[in-house]
Amino acid sequence: MTANLFTPYKLNDTLTLSNKILMAPLTRCMADDDLVPTQQVADYYARRAEAGLIISEATIIRPDGQGYPNTPGLYTPAQINGWRVVTDAVHKNGGKIFAQLWHTGRVAHPHFFGGGDVLSASAQAVEGTVPRMRELVYQTPKAASLEDIKQLVADYAQAAANAIDAGFDGVEIHGANGYLIDQFLHHDSNRRDDEYGQTPENMSRFALEVVDAVIARIGADRTGLRVSPGAYFNMAGDARDRAVFDYLLPALSQRQLAFLHAGIFDDSMQFDYLGGSVSAYIRSVYTGTLVGVGSYTAEAGSAAIDANKFDLLAIGRPFIANPDYVAKVRNGDELVPYAETMLAELI
Ligand code: FNR
Ligand code: 8K6
């Protein structure tokens, strides 16, 4: 009933996945205080190497991208070396792993990087506090200057090069879930009146510049992107956002990315302004490989792939609860249900 998940999938001439199950990126806040992944982190990923592709937990491209404690980075030699231990362990077990490249934008907090500006598209704060750190109220960000934007694009490209240095098979640019790139793509957070704001073309410009800079550095065959056309996390929805993604997604179709990955917690959510679910909307305007995600069981994901709703299935929370998720599904074994208390340790 899930047999179609267990056939190989060719992403491009460089990469073929041994099955269609991806491990979704999952922030675990378990890097050491220099934001270096530890041996426990390597062991955690190695146990999950049977996934067709692991997408790493979101990994910050530079210090001011940090919005949660002990999230790993990819900008110091020690971090690159730490990741090399992880990628070696995954490869040794026959797996493949991409690094998810992250800058949280206005969801960053200076508490984590010793003070200084929080950057975003515009000076529009997100309401609330850092999760589980209620004393850390989100700040009003500084609207990135043209100079800041240039540097950010260069820093994404450098982090991508560092990821390849660290032995990753490629990168997924985190353009989803209300973080920096997504903040340029939604009217809630982008109020700019320069060439990065107001029109779909302008609002897509930063995302496309990052994608193009990463492609120029490591190749489109090793570059994926995650996007959230439906605002649901760290972001308010706006019907005008539809036109932005109507422009962006066909522009991305031209770029021969390894894949595009939906960013959503529950793909049964319907968005009026998208005319349905996030995956159905993306499928209608994007022609390349699409990774579906969001509260899917293996059976429901397999049926969705059968119905051509997307090409690959990413699994998040069940992979936290079941390191051997792929083997269990293949054998029809019962899964351990996910519980939030499991976030306290790496099993
Ligand atoms: C997430 N998710 C997430 N997404 C992302 O792009 N980068 C990340 O670092 C994280 N971190 C993260 C941590 C935890 C604890 C959860 C539960 C989720 C979202 C995740 O990739 C996925 O989209 C959702 O969990 C929905 O898939 P499942 O869990 O329903 O299969
Ligand atoms: C990328 C950083 C993630 C930080 C940890 C997030 C943990 C969240 C776990 C709960 C999952 C449900 C959240 C649903 C959010 C959607 C709101 C409509």
Side-chain angles (χ1 to χ4, degrees):
M1 185 165 69
T2 57
N4 64 348
L5 298 177
F6 295 95
T7 54
Y9 186 89
K10 188 172 164 158
L11 287 177
N12 47 50
D13 288 343
T14 313
L15 293 166
T16 297
L17 310 183
S18 61
N19 62 63
K20 298 198 181 79
I21 301 175
L22 273 60
M23 178 179 172
L26 295 159
T27 289
R28 300 304 309 267
C29 302
M30 295 286 187
D32 73 16
D33 288 341
D34 297 319
L35 311 187
V36 175
T38 62
Q39 183 62 49
Q40 286 70 34
V41 172
D43 296 343
Y44 158 86
Y45 283 113
R47 282 193 284 277
R48 290 160 172 84
E50 224 196 314
L53 179 64
I54 295 171
I55 314 289
S56 81
E57 65 204 277
T59 298
I60 58 175
I61 63 164
R62 56 187 229 178
D64 69 355
Q66 189 177 353
Y68 307 86
N70 297 95
T71 52
L74 250 176
Y75 53 87
T76 70
Q79 292 163 356
I80 295 168
N81 288 334
W83 278 118
R84 199 170 290 121
V85 177
V86 176
T87 61
D88 281 348
V90 169
H91 291 149
K92 205 165 135 230
N93 285 0
K96 288 193 165 59
I97 182 167
F98 273 34
Q100 193 187 44
L101 303 184
W102 198 24
H103 190 298
T104 63
R106 66 177 179 170
V107 190
H109 200 287
H111 168 79
F112 299 116
F113 49 91
D117 288 329
V118 168
L119 289 180
S120 183
S122 297
Q124 295 288 326
V126 65
E127 259 186 56
T129 64
V130 175
R132 303 191 191 98
M133 302 182 83
R134 298 188 54 191
E135 70 285 5
L136 298 181
V137 176
Y138 288 127
Q139 322 247 306
T140 300
K142 175 194 160 204
S145 66
L146 296 182
E147 198 67 11
D148 292 330
I149 289 176
K150 238 189 227 142
Q151 190 60 51
L152 284 161
V153 171
D155 290 340
Y156 276 100
Q158 184 59 49
N162 293 349
I164 298 302
D165 255 7
F168 283 102
D169 297 285
V171 305
E172 174 177 284
I173 300 165
H174 196 342
N177 298 349
Y179 298 115
L180 180 65
I181 292 172
D182 205 28
Q183 289 159 25
F184 280 82
L185 295 172
H186 292 268
H187 285 83
D188 173 44
S189 44
N190 186 342
R191 315 279 173 98
R192 300 178 72 97
D193 56 14
D194 64 0
E195 65 263 44
Y196 290 91
Q198 290 186 319
T199 68
E201 185 178 357
N202 286 347
M203 291 173 70
S204 299
R205 190 177 311 281
F206 179 62
L208 290 172
E209 285 179 349
V210 171
V211 166
D212 288 340
V214 169
I215 289 175
R217 208 59 181 268
I218 69 165
D221 50 344
R222 296 192 184 277
T223 303
L225 173 68
R226 196 171 209 196
V227 290
S228 291
Y232 75 103
F233 188 54
N234 301 316
M235 187 70 74
D238 185 312
R240 294 172 297 168
D241 295 347
R242 164 74 184 253
V244 179
F245 287 88
D246 280 350
Y247 175 86
L248 175 68
L249 296 176
L252 289 168
S253 296
Q254 306 298 313
R255 283 166 166 81
Q256 310 293 327
L257 294 170
F259 57 81
L260 191 68
H261 186 177
I264 188 76
F265 273 76
D266 182 350
D267 197 33
S268 69
M269 266 180 89
Q270 304 290 305
F271 292 86
D272 282 351
Y273 63 88
L274 301 180
S277 70
V278 164
S279 64
Y281 164 68
I282 296 178
R283 194 62 149 182
S284 72
V285 282
Y286 181 76
T287 56
T289 294
L290 175 61
V291 182
V293 73
S295 305
Y296 281 98
T297 60
E299 291 74 18
S302 165
I305 289 174
D306 232 20
N308 200 28
K309 293 182 174 168
F310 44 79
D311 306 295
L312 297 165
L313 172 66
I315 294 290
R317 287 162 287 189
F319 245 124
I320 291 177
N322 301 272
D324 51 351
Y325 179 85
V326 174
K328 278 184 173 163
V329 170
R330 191 182 339 91
N331 300 331
D333 293 345
E334 202 171 320
L335 296 169
V336 175
Y338 169 82
E340 227 176 278
T341 50
M342 293 173 179
L343 295 178
E345 67 177 324
L346 290 176
I347 57 159

